[in-house]
């Protein structure tokens, strides 16, 4: 069974993945390949999964920094696989890691570490 935190992180990652798809489509003049857009979305879902696997941090600032670090690591996998060509999406992954962690911290109201 999925924890509340995991559900929050996966849903937030999937929604941010849609935002990424829209952004990448607009930046490319709607010329991006479907497989590229799917991979970008999937990367955000994986980011949500990775963040969801971590326990709830003791404080919000530390959790957000951890989200940024995990966003950097997970997004680097996508960034390197596309030949280091989409820097905006890579940097967005860092921001999205922070957002996922923030949302999870605020909505998963349990105390302390999970």
């Amino acid at each position: 069974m999925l924890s509340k935190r995991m559900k929050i992180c996966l849903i937030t990652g999937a929604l941010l993945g849609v935002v990424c798809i829209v952004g990448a489509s607009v930046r490319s003049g709607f010329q991006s390949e479907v497989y590229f857009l799917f991979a970008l979305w999937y990367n955000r879902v994986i980011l949500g999964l990775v963040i969801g696997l971590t326990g709830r941090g003791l404080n919000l600032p530390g959790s957000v920094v951890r989200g940024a670090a995990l966003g950097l690591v997970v997004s680097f996998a996508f960034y390197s696989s596309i030949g280091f060509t989409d820097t905006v999406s890579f940097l967005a992954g860092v921001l999205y890691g922070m957002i996922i962690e923030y949302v999870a911290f605020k909505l998963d109201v349990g105390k302390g570490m999970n």
Side-chain angles (χ1 to χ4, degrees), residues 37-102:
L37 297 174
F38 174 76
L40 188 55
W41 174 81
Y42 190 66
N43 181 264
R44 302 318 182 203
V45 174
I46 295 298
L47 178 57
L49 175 69
V50 170
I51 292 174
L53 289 171
T54 64
R56 184 175 193 270
L58 294 176
N59 61 58
L60 183 58
S63 295
V64 171
V65 169
R66 178 178 64 188
L70 292 172
L72 181 79
V73 170
V74 172
S75 294
F76 186 76
F78 176 77
Y79 184 54
S80 63
S81 74
I82 60 168
F84 305 100
T85 58
D86 191 359
T87 306
V88 172
S89 291
F90 171 60
L91 296 175
V94 176
L95 177 64
Y96 289 173
M98 296 168 69
I99 292 170
I100 293 169
E101 188 67 71
Y102 178 84

Side-chain angles (χ1 to χ4, degrees), residues 6-60:
M6 180 62 78
K7 290 175 188 173
I8 292 166
C9 290
L10 286 172
I11 291 168
T12 305
L15 292 174
L16 289 172
V18 172
V19 172
C20 255
I21 286 173
V22 171
S25 294
V26 169
R27 285 193 322 273
S28 72
F30 300 96
Q31 299 299 312
S32 292
E33 297 287 336
V34 172
Y35 70 87
F36 173 82
L37 297 174
F38 174 76
L40 188 55
W41 174 81
Y42 190 66
N43 181 264
R44 302 318 182 203
V45 174
I46 295 298
L47 178 57
L49 175 69
V50 170
I51 292 174
L53 289 171
T54 64
R56 184 175 193 270
L58 294 176
N59 61 58
L60 183 58

